[in-house]
Amino acid sequence: MSFEVDATVARGKERLSVRFASKRGITALFGPSGAGKSSTLDMIAGLLRPLDGRIVVAGEVLFDSAQGIDLPPERRACGYVFQDGRLFPHRRVADNLRYGWKLAPPERRWMSLDVATSFLGIGHLLDRMPATLSGGEAQRVAIGRALLSGPRFLLMDEPLSSLDAPRRAEIMAVIERIRDELALPILYVSHDRAEVDRLADQVVELG
Amino acid sequence: MLNAEEWGIVALSLKVSACAMLGALPLAFALAYLLARGRFPGRILLDALIHLPLVVPPVVTGWLLLLAFGANGPAGRWLERAFGVTLMFRWTGAALAAAIMALPLMVRAMRLSIEAVDRKLEGAARTLGAGPWRTFLTVTLPLSIPGILAGLVLGFARSIGEFGATITFVSNIPGETRTLPLAIYAALQMPDGDAMVTRLALISVSLSLAALVASEWLARRSGHGRGGHVL
């Protein structure tokens, strides 16, 4: 099992319960906006605390209310690619990429900066500030930053939604390479059926 | 230009203000952070208390400082006994008065810049392996630096001009507590002090103007183009 989630979270006055289990490869979380896709990723990353439940990824218990387990985000080793990139605006691209790499224990650094930059085609961007990047460039840097942090799994929150068609194809190819060459469990949020059909090994419908 | 006595006054003013800023900086930042991020009962009251020196007559602030830090005040007696430090009638007392009067402006500027920091970036740092402290030091703090500097410069300008609380608390002693505004006031009382008043006033105006321009410039750089004004 790569992702096992059975958790309830408070969203304002409502309660949202999410329950699914998935096997290898890319699991797509599919559903209309407001169905709780991003909340689910935040719960798995540790940025949003569930009221109760249990979250296990690749065999490691990240959260379990019954056992009193709640790993802080920095100990979950997740590579989170946000919808809006969230690059650090005060750091150059190279420093954004190295941020998580430096913090990861050496044995978890399975990718080097050189490999990541050539894998993603961002070698020429290293000295730029994030504000000067195009949407596609920023998203590739964000993916690189997540991969370099030595993650055990990836969370991707609509990584294509801010891009035009040619860029989408480009990033989608990158995600397919991550799936095929790196064999990381990936939880992929989308509301686009075509995207999901092309990328996902398994689909979880929310809402 | 200025004579030796006047240079001494300018130097004393700069010393008093610099010490006031150095002492007030950590407190102002801590308060700004608490107000920007904290959710606790009494937050509004704390906010009001910090802003009090901005609206209370400065002479009242000076009198309260006298009550607290004077020879018979509780804080004054404690400082005397524990460290042998007296603030009353000393330049250090002038620095304390200046710091208290500048604090509201400093907290305000710093708070705006902390509030402008996108908390989602902090979340991103956490997922990349940074604990709460490292996240603060590598994301929150650097992104709020322009506001911190703006608050410092603004507080510095305010403290250079501090008059009422200072003269009430530490009096107007040449060479010890006679800062620029107090010297201008003293010169005004003298029959032939006009030229000195003019020179010192010009110095005050240029110092304050430079500080305000610097602080606006810094505030514009914070918020990354969203433009946070402190004035």
Side-chain angles (χ1 to χ4, degrees), chain B residues 87-146:
Chain B
L87 294 180
M88 208 172 52
F89 305 131
R90 296 285 163 78
W91 72 269
T92 43
L96 175 67
I100 297 227
M101 296 303 289
L103 198 67
L105 291 174
M106 298 174 74
V107 171
R108 226 179 152 72
M110 293 179 190
R111 178 184 176 174
L112 283 176
S113 76
I114 295 167
E115 282 171 349
V117 174
D118 186 353
R119 303 203 63 175
K120 292 174 170 179
L121 292 174
E122 297 173 359
R126 296 294 299 276
T127 66
L128 290 165
W133 266 106
R134 189 183 296 273
T135 300
F136 173 77
L137 291 175
T138 57
V139 178
T140 321
L141 193 60
L143 287 176
S144 44
I145 284 275

Side-chain angles (χ1 to χ4, degrees), chain A residues 45 47 72-74 78 80 82 84 86-91 96 99-100 103 145-146 149, chain B residues 118-132 134-135 138-139 142-143 224:
Chain A
L47 298 176
E74 63 269 21
C78 81
Y80 200 153
F82 300 94
D84 48 358
R86 296 193 200 175
L87 296 178
F88 301 125
H90 57 304
R91 290 172 171 254
N96 265 282
Y99 189 90
L103 293 171
R145 185 178 67 169
S149 70
Chain B
D118 186 353
R119 303 203 63 175
K120 292 174 170 179
L121 292 174
E122 297 173 359
R126 296 294 299 276
T127 66
L128 290 165
R134 189 183 296 273
T135 300
T138 57
V139 178
L143 287 176
H224 298 270

